[in-house]
Structures are given as structure tokens and as C-alpha cells.
Amino acid sequence: MSENEILRRASYGPTSPVVGARGSRTRARVVETALGLFEAQGFHGTSVDDIAKAAGVSRATLYQYFESKEQIFIELLQECGTALMRVVRRIGPLEPTELGFDNLHWWLGEWAWVYDRYSTMFVQWANISSPGTPIPEMASRFLADYHERIARRLAASGVTGIDPVDAAVVLTTLVNAANYTRHVNAAAGPAGGRTAGQGSGPGTGPGGARPPARSTAISTEHLTDGLAVLIQLLLFPQTPPAVFAQLGREIPTPRPPSGGERLWSAPSVAPASTSAHPVASATPAQPPAPVSSPVAARRPDDRFAGLSSRAGATVARLLDAGVQCFTEKGYHQCSVDDVVSLAGYARGTFYKYFDEKLDLLVALSDRALGAITELDERLHRIRAATTPAAPTAPDPGELRDWLGAVATFALRYLGVTRVWLDQQPHHARLDEVRRVMSERLHTGYATVPGGGRWPHPLDPRIASIAFFTVLERLPEALVDATPERPMAQIVDVMAVALDRTRLLTGVSLPVAPDLP
């Protein structure tokens, strides 16, 4: 061993008998400090030195407890997972009754508390899949266990018409997206500006992350109410409208539900239809605000327009390699060398067309926005069939084909949309796309054909968030749960989720017969 070689002492794990009371406090302070820094600066923007300095310890002391910042992140993920599992164990009966809806509402409130505590873990973990770390495998294993535990509860509760595991995946995707939106709005502040502490990332909210310029903030209570309605319908579409009449009343301080009492009382409402899709006549649904056109943004000049066919083919291969690398490895882990290796070119060829990796990302972001615009315009053409001038309902096969195209886009451009959500890196065009996508997230549902009616007034912004979550985040979640799932089955689950939540009503979507 060289006399200049420095040895690191064995790490003190959370259950190490060597650590005394003082060491335990130091270790806990390091973890808590890291959580705050990951939230404020992002995981990739935080160094070990940053954590040590903020925690008031030396770098050497930190390494006594953790071998890397990835290990700190893993411990935080474990804490977060334990908290979520604890909440699941405490859920009361779920059913199409006032008691069942109360219990669901309580669960969503507790889930929101866990999210607020560990928000940066929810919004950043998928962008921290550094090669050689156990983070991706650990997160996938936890999600599988979490979905399975929820699925068992749903099956025991009598949920039918949708596979319980699929229902669990849809449910968790909707909840995480809603909490993400609430988190971003809170971080932006009342003026809509971005604060240093604003975290973001995939697996949470759809589309762009930054709140639009005009105010679209939704209170926690309002968002939880709307989310509870949609999830109740996802699980029990036959729920009588009277069950939802209690919303809007003062709710007591949350406490664990029981099997024999409700958390608050609903007013007396006359019995209503118990058909698969009841519509409350006493409380009509709030219609979405009109929007005249699909998402649109000032598109940048096409720098590749004047290229020869051969040069254009080279750029196309580089772009395809870039979107593949960003999706498989993440933007931060993907290098220029990785991109040119996938494309089969030398580094010089890359730099002939792009200044740096960020330049490639901007070009891919522009391409993704163009694809989204085309998909939205296609949906508008489908919607045109329902106008007064042409009242014929949209063709279900055409709508299903559109869902398939949306899912294909969502999976292909994961690496780009994660960057939109992550808010890093910054670039004028990236930030503009984030703003446009967030505007669409909050208002785009108004253009949907066959927009739903619900048994309780539902804020169109909440409907919009849920709708685009199913379109843009659910395909990824379904593939994560079942990696070899065929695209047709992904579209089936999307269609069932949209139908049961009434986000698409009046349109009979063909669903594979093997679904229960």
C-alpha cells in the first residue's frame, strides 16, 4: 500500500452497533440536510461537500456514515417507502358507500402528507438512475410491492371490471401526478414565480412542470376532493351520487378510519340511479372552460431545413440516438460518446451539427413539442365529429388509434419529458416549452371529445390534470410494472381508466376481451 493512499473507514449503517447516541444524531442530521439540499438544488446539483458543509461535519465524517450521496438518497427512499406502506396498512374499507369514500379521502390526505415530507424523492428518483447504483432496481421492487399490496386491498374490496394491479398502477399514477402539481404550485408561490426549493421529476406530474404564467393554483383540499371523486369512480363506477354530496362540508382533523364510523356526515340526498355511470341531477357537473385551439407555441426556426438529404439523414440518426440514450440512461447520465456510439458516428460528426449535449436536448425538445402539437390537432379533428354541424359520435377505432399514438410518443420521449419535469438544465427554449406544457396540463381538457359529467362538480383543471396523466404518465407506469406488456394492452388500460373516471364519456372504446 502506498504511503500516500488514504483509507476510508467502514461505513456506519443505520443499524450499526458502533454508532452511539451522538453518532446517531450526526447521521440523522446528514440525512435531513441532504433531503433539504436535494430539494433546493436537485440531486445532480448537490455534492458531497455541499451536504457535509450544510450539516456541519467534515467530508471524512460524512464518509464514515455514507459511501456516496447515492447511498443517502437510497436511505431516504427507504424511509419514504416505509411511510407509504404504513399508510396503506391503515386504510379502512373501500366500497361504493359514504364510509368507503370517507376512507379513500382519508388515505389520499395521508398520502399527501408523506408526499410533502419526501417530495424530492418522488420527483427526482427516476433521473438518478446512475449506472452501478441499486436505485432503479430498489425503486422498481418497492413499486411492485406497493402496487401488489394495494391490489390485494382492492380485490378484497370487490373492485371488478379492471385488473386489481392495473387499477393500483392507475391509482398511484393519478395520485402522484396530483401531488406533484400541488407541490409545484406551492413552490412557485402566490405570484407564480419559481423558487429555489422547487423540485420536480418524472413519475409524478404530466407535461411540463412549471405553473403557467396566469394563476392556476388549486388548494390542497380542493385537489384532494376532485381526486377522490375520480379515484372512487375508477374503483367503483357504480357509486351513487349521494355518496359525493358530503364534499364541501367541513372535515374534521384527519384520523385513522375505522370500519364502523364515517369521518363526517353527508347531507340527506334522495336516492339516485345506481347504473354504471350515474349522473346526479341535483348537482350538475361543472363544464370545462372553453379553449379555442390545441397547445401551440412559437416554434423555433428549423436549423436543419436547408441540409442535403444525406446530411439530413445523419442529423435524424443523431436525434434518434439522442432520444434513445436520454430515455434509457437519463439526460444527466447520457454522454456525447454514448450518443455517437448509438448512431455509429465519430464525435466530430456530432459537433458538426450540435454545439453540445444541451443543444441536442433543445432540438429533441422542439421535436417533441411538434409531435404533441400534431397529436392535439389530431384529437381536434376527432372532436370535430361531435360539433352541432356534424353530431355523429367519433369513431371508437379512430380514438383508440389516437390513444396508441399518444402512448407510443410518451414512451419514446421519456428522456425529454423527464427533463421538462426536472426543470434542469435551463435554457430559454426549454423553459418556454415547460410553460406551454404546463398551460396545456391545466386547461387542455376543455378540447376533449365527449368530456365527462360527474356526480359532483369537478374543477376542469383537476379533470385536465387527470386526463393528461392517463395519456402521458400512465404508459410509463404500466411498462415499469410489466416490462413486456404489449402496446395493445397499454391502450386497453388507458381506455378503461378514461371510461371509468368519465374523462372520456359517450364514446365506446373497444377493449380487449381478456380484461375482467
Side-chain angles (χ1 to χ4, degrees):
M1 180 177 68
S2 167
E3 63 181 4
N4 294 323
E5 191 172 2
I6 299 175
L7 294 180
R8 179 188 302 160
R9 283 177 285 177
S11 195
Y12 293 156
T15 60
S16 170
V18 178
V19 178
R22 180 178 178 183
S24 296
R25 289 193 298 270
T26 300
R27 193 177 193 284
R29 188 168 71 251
V30 169
V31 172
E32 190 71 17
T33 299
L35 178 62
L37 288 175
F38 292 158
E39 169 75 9
Q41 301 174 189
F43 177 84
H44 294 286
T46 301
S47 67
V48 170
D49 287 337
D50 291 335
I51 299 171
K53 181 178 179 180
V57 300
S58 68
R59 181 185 177 95
T61 298
L62 186 146
Y63 278 127
Q64 286 185 318
Y65 300 98
F66 301 98
E67 64 182 20
S68 65
K69 67 176 182 179
E70 284 83 4
Q71 191 181 40
I72 301 175
F73 195 87
I74 287 171
E75 178 150 329
L76 287 166
L77 277 178
Q78 291 171 335
E79 284 186 13
C80 177
T82 299
L84 285 174
M85 288 295 191
R86 185 166 54 248
V87 172
V88 170
R89 288 195 296 268
R90 298 168 65 194
I91 305 174
L94 299 177
E95 54 194 32
T97 65
E98 293 178 3
L99 171 61
F101 184 62
D102 285 350
N103 289 334
L104 173 64
H105 198 286
W106 172 87
W107 180 29
L108 297 179
E110 291 294 290
W111 197 333
W113 182 91
V114 175
Y115 192 99
D116 288 344
R117 164 67 177 157
Y118 298 102
S119 58
T120 194
M121 317 310 297
F122 285 94
V123 300
Q124 294 192 61
W125 74 263
N127 274 342
I128 307 174
S129 53
S130 303
T133 72
I135 293 177
E137 181 181 355
M138 189 188 83
S140 296
R141 187 167 57 249
F142 166 76
L143 285 175
D145 292 344
Y146 192 55
H147 289 149
E148 182 60 33
R149 179 162 294 190
I150 295 174
R152 290 198 300 268
R153 174 58 61 91
L154 298 183
S157 299
V159 172
T160 60
I162 183 173
D163 179 83
V165 174
D166 288 341
V169 174
V170 177
L171 187 156
T172 55
T173 304
L174 287 171
V175 173
N176 284 334
N179 280 324
Y180 169 80
T181 301
R182 181 177 57 82
H183 169 74
V184 170
N185 285 340
R194 186 175 183 271
T195 69
Q198 179 177 331
S200 50
T204 49
R210 181 172 299 179
R214 61 188 179 84
S215 175
T216 57
I218 307 172
S219 71
T220 299
E221 294 78 8
H222 191 56
L223 185 62
T224 302
D225 284 351
L227 183 63
V229 171
L230 290 173
I231 292 180
Q232 179 73 18
L233 293 174
L234 171 72
L235 303 180
F236 305 104
Q238 76 278 20
T239 301
V243 166
F244 303 104
Q246 57 196 284
L247 292 178
R249 295 172 61 88
E250 184 177 354
I251 304 174
T253 301
R255 64 177 184 270
S258 70
E261 65 175 32
R262 292 186 293 105
L263 297 185
W264 69 95
S265 299
S268 176
V269 176
S273 169
T274 57
S275 63
H277 293 301
V279 177
S281 58
T283 313
Q286 180 178 345
V291 173
S292 58
S293 62
V295 60
R298 180 178 59 83
R299 296 186 182 181
D301 294 336
D302 190 350
R303 65 177 122 166
F304 306 123
L307 295 178
S308 66
S309 58
R310 181 176 179 179
T314 299
V315 169
R317 285 179 63 178
L318 288 169
L319 290 170
D320 288 343
V323 76
Q324 179 183 345
C325 189
F326 292 167
T327 295
E328 292 178 353
K329 288 190 171 185
Y331 172 78
H332 297 284
Q333 281 74 45
C334 178
S335 67
V336 171
D337 286 339
D338 292 328
V339 173
V340 297
S341 177
L342 285 170
Y345 295 126
R347 286 172 62 90
T349 302
F350 177 91
Y351 288 111
K352 181 178 179 180
Y353 300 103
F354 301 99
D355 295 334
E356 56 181 337
K357 185 175 72 170
L358 178 60
D359 195 27
L360 174 65
L361 174 63
V362 171
L364 286 171
S365 177
D366 292 343
R367 175 186 271 198
L369 179 62
I372 287 174
T373 303
E374 291 175 3
L375 287 169
D376 284 0
E377 290 171 350
R378 180 175 168 183
L379 180 58
H380 265 249
R381 291 193 294 271
I382 296 174
R383 178 178 181 262
T386 64
T387 62
T392 305
D395 179 84
E398 185 179 1
L399 189 56
R400 180 182 172 84
D401 289 344
W402 175 78
L403 284 175
V406 170
T408 299
F409 165 83
L411 294 173
R412 173 171 170 75
Y413 281 92
L414 274 176
V416 176
T417 56
R418 284 172 178 171
V419 169
W420 291 348
L421 291 161
D422 196 39
Q423 298 292 334
Q424 294 178 4
H426 286 293
H427 185 282
R429 288 229 297 267
L430 291 177
D431 289 343
E432 174 63 12
V433 171
R434 288 169 178 137
R435 184 198 64 78
V436 169
M437 292 303 296
S438 186
E439 184 78 19
R440 171 177 177 266
L441 170 65
H442 287 82
T443 64
Y445 180 72
T447 67
V448 173
R453 293 184 65 201
W454 294 274
H456 179 80
L458 187 67
D459 190 315
R461 296 170 298 177
I462 299 175
S464 192
I465 291 168
F467 179 74
F468 288 112
T469 295
V470 172
L471 296 183
E472 297 168 3
R473 298 264 62 92
L474 184 57
E476 176 188 7
L478 291 169
V479 170
D480 287 343
T482 310
E484 302 302 321
R485 187 190 295 258
M487 178 59 71
Q489 291 185 11
I490 293 174
V491 174
D492 287 340
V493 177
M494 294 169 68
V496 170
L498 292 170
D499 180 64
R500 290 169 73 98
T501 57
R502 307 186 203 175
L503 290 167
L504 272 181
T505 59
V507 179
S508 177
L509 290 167
V511 178
D514 57 341
L515 282 179

